[in-house]
Amino acid sequence: MAVTIKADVGAADANSYLTLTQAQALIDGMVENADVTAWDAATTDAKNRALAAATQRLDRERFLGARATDTQSLQWPRTGVRRPDTYINTYAIGFPFRITTDYYTETEIPDQVKQAQAVLAVYLNSNRDGLGLSGIEDYKSVSIGSLRIETAGASSTASGADRVPPIFERYLTGLRISGPGNVSIRRS
């Protein structure tokens, strides 16, 4: 059965943050590599499946704020999430100045989320098992006593648990509670 993309902001039946047309516009601006070439050759259904899978992966993140409504199917839009980098550096007068429009609205999906979905969809179109692995596939041997770790090596076909492109992680910086690019400091 073909996958149909529903990308209405805040809808109870939405399954994507981007339509295929919106995603294609972002992907057209990417550096052409093997994954982008495979995306261009893919069928509409394969692209829709990759977009839906990328959305499901995105929605596993722990984002800041709260969902805008109880009825929306996806994690975004959200309330109480400040836009990253919305402070003007005014150290000449001693403190950073806050811009007034620094929170996402209840009907807005951040461009970073859309970019992350497009990048991940392109990746998943070519690497279909990337999200279904446990992570142990990358190791030939793991021990605890005297700590010995032996990786599977370059010849291994394993690609790790939730192996995603590094830029995917960077796009989510400042929007989620934890993860690469977000630091949590706790007092001991």
Side-chain angles (χ1 to χ4, degrees), residues 138-151:
D138 285 338
Y139 302 97
K140 184 176 180 181
S141 172
V142 177
S143 301
I144 298 296
S146 296
L147 189 63
R148 184 178 67 88
I149 299 174
E150 188 177 345
T151 61

Side-chain angles (χ1 to χ4, degrees), residues 156-178:
S156 171
T157 59
S159 57
D162 271 10
R163 187 63 54 91
V164 294
I167 192 71
F168 168 83
E169 299 285 356
R170 298 301 303 157
Y171 280 129
L172 301 180
T173 299
L175 297 177
R176 61 185 174 180
I177 294 171
S178 63

Side-chain angles (χ1 to χ4, degrees), residues 6-82:
K6 179 117 171 108
D8 296 333
V9 175
D13 59 348
N15 63 355
S16 179
Y17 294 111
L18 295 167
T19 64
L20 182 55
T21 303
Q22 292 168 328
Q24 190 62 53
L26 294 173
I27 293 163
D28 286 343
M30 291 181 182
V31 173
E32 193 165 325
N33 61 22
D35 288 343
V36 172
T37 301
W39 174 270
D40 289 339
T43 65
T44 298
D45 186 56
K47 291 176 181 180
N48 285 344
R49 288 177 188 280
L51 280 172
T55 304
Q56 289 173 357
R57 171 57 182 83
L58 269 167
D59 276 5
R60 289 186 0 217
E61 294 292 333
R62 293 179 52 215
F63 290 107
L64 296 169
R67 292 170 21 136
T69 69
D70 291 337
T71 59
Q72 70 189 56
S73 63
L74 302 177
Q75 290 292 324
W76 287 91
R78 297 181 77 76
T79 61
V81 181
R82 193 178 78 203

